[in-house]
Amino acid sequence: QAKLQGGDQIAAFKKALHTQAFEALSLENQLRKNLRDPAQQELFLAFQPIVDLGSGEIAGFEALIRWRLADGTVIPPNRFIPVAEQSGLIQPLGKWVLDSACAALAALRANDPNAVDHMHVNVNVSARQLEQHDFVREINELLLIHNLPAQTLRLELTETVLMENAAQVQNFLGQLQEIGIGVAVDDFGTGYSSLSYLHRFSINTLKIDLSFVQSVLTNEHSKAITQAIIDMAQSLNKTVVAEGIETQEQAALIAAMGCRYAQGFLFSYPLEKEALPQLLDQQPLVPTPRE
Ligand code: C2E
Ligand code: MG
Ligand code: MG
Ligand code: MG
């Protein structure tokens, strides 16, 4: 009987594996179709503001990819980015993201050049995009096409990406720095990494992972780690952004701890580009209490 049960489990396992593989393959095929024919418009970007906690003004936006199927279902990036990474589609997809993010920022600048002159757009980059030999040239071309200064684009990389191929990454970051493109370490504090890369690599910004930020009021360890990241960023002369701020209390504490920038649902959900002019008009996003 045990044997029969084992067999059943294996069958169930095989079926689950098959379902997963089938789902990945079907996502991959659909993604390929979308990249070939962007007119389908199933892929789009959502933009979340990065806010200066002192003034409530928007410093920039993070571009976050979304995929809405014809039937209205939205597939979150955590489900299809891994598929894109495994299939190699991340390279054309990443180019599409960079192009669309630059286009959106250029449109905002054309609309009201003074109001957004200083603003930047952050784009998430996967490890496999760094393997693309002409990646920096591609980024440069996109900046030219959209007539954007290099300082308006920032790339977000995770610690794991930075650690995976140190020599390649160092070369890549050096080229970015020469051009003037900023680099942020995403989900800082969660990856497997050595802190020594912080002074070896040209990095401008640390983004404190939302898992620390969201427990900063309730967990002493999270608070200590958050404070350590803020202090370290300050002494290394890097800017620091707290991710995932949802409450006024979190914002107040993070600001008091010395963190200048924040991102989170408290200020705004990620929005489609059409909603950005109105968001810009709403500044300061959360009026800070003044004495
Ligand atoms: P990330 O780069 O760390 O992005 C921040 C995530 O936190 C986003 O999830 C955002 O919607 C979410 N978030 C922002 N504020 C809050 C908050 O107050 N509370 C909570 N609970 N969440 C908040 P999203 O958009 O689902 O993206 C997930 C991840 O997918 C991103 O994490 C990033 O690693 C990846 N991703 C998104 N777009 C791209 C892309 O264009 N290319 C690549 N390679 N990866 C992307
Ligand atoms: Mg990010
Ligand atoms: Mg993050
Ligand atoms: Mg993340």
Side-chain angles (χ1 to χ4, degrees), residues 6-17:
D8 283 351
Q9 276 176 14
I10 289 169
F13 179 66
K14 274 188 177 162
K15 188 161 174 257
L17 260 190

Side-chain angles (χ1 to χ4, degrees), residues 62 78 124 158 186-187 190 209-210 243:
E62 178 175 4
N78 289 334
N124 294 286
T158 61
D186 206 351
D187 307 342
T190 59
D209 190 67
L210 85 185
E243 297 193 277

Side-chain angles (χ1 to χ4, degrees), residues 178-244:
E178 253 170 60
I179 304 168
I181 296 170
V183 172
V185 184
D186 206 351
D187 307 342
F188 189 79
T190 59
Y192 169 76
S193 74
S194 131
L195 291 177
S196 67
Y197 75 83
L198 281 180
H199 78 94
R200 266 193 298 134
F201 294 170
S202 25
I203 283 157
N204 313 86
T205 304
L206 305 182
K207 297 189 78 176
I208 310 173
D209 190 67
L210 85 185
S211 60
F212 301 120
V213 174
Q214 296 193 334
S215 55
V216 75
L217 288 157
T218 51
N219 183 314
E220 280 303 317
H221 291 142
S222 299
K223 190 176 174 187
I225 292 169
T226 302
Q227 188 67 66
I229 297 173
I230 294 169
D231 294 346
M232 186 171 63
Q234 193 167 27
S235 47
L236 294 173
N237 212 8
K238 303 186 189 305
T239 54
V240 55
V241 180
E243 297 193 277

Side-chain angles (χ1 to χ4, degrees), residues 3-43:
K3 198 177 165 195
L4 213 155
Q5 210 177 32
D8 283 351
Q9 276 176 14
I10 289 169
F13 179 66
K14 274 188 177 162
K15 188 161 174 257
L17 260 190
H18 181 262
T19 309
Q20 258 179 37
F22 183 78
E23 197 206 56
L25 188 65
S26 133
L27 282 180
E28 182 186 327
N29 287 332
Q30 289 181 71
L31 201 53
R32 202 181 296 280
K33 215 170 65 189
N34 269 285
L35 287 167
R36 212 182 299 126
D37 178 18
Q40 298 194 55
Q41 294 197 323
E42 291 187 3
L43 295 170

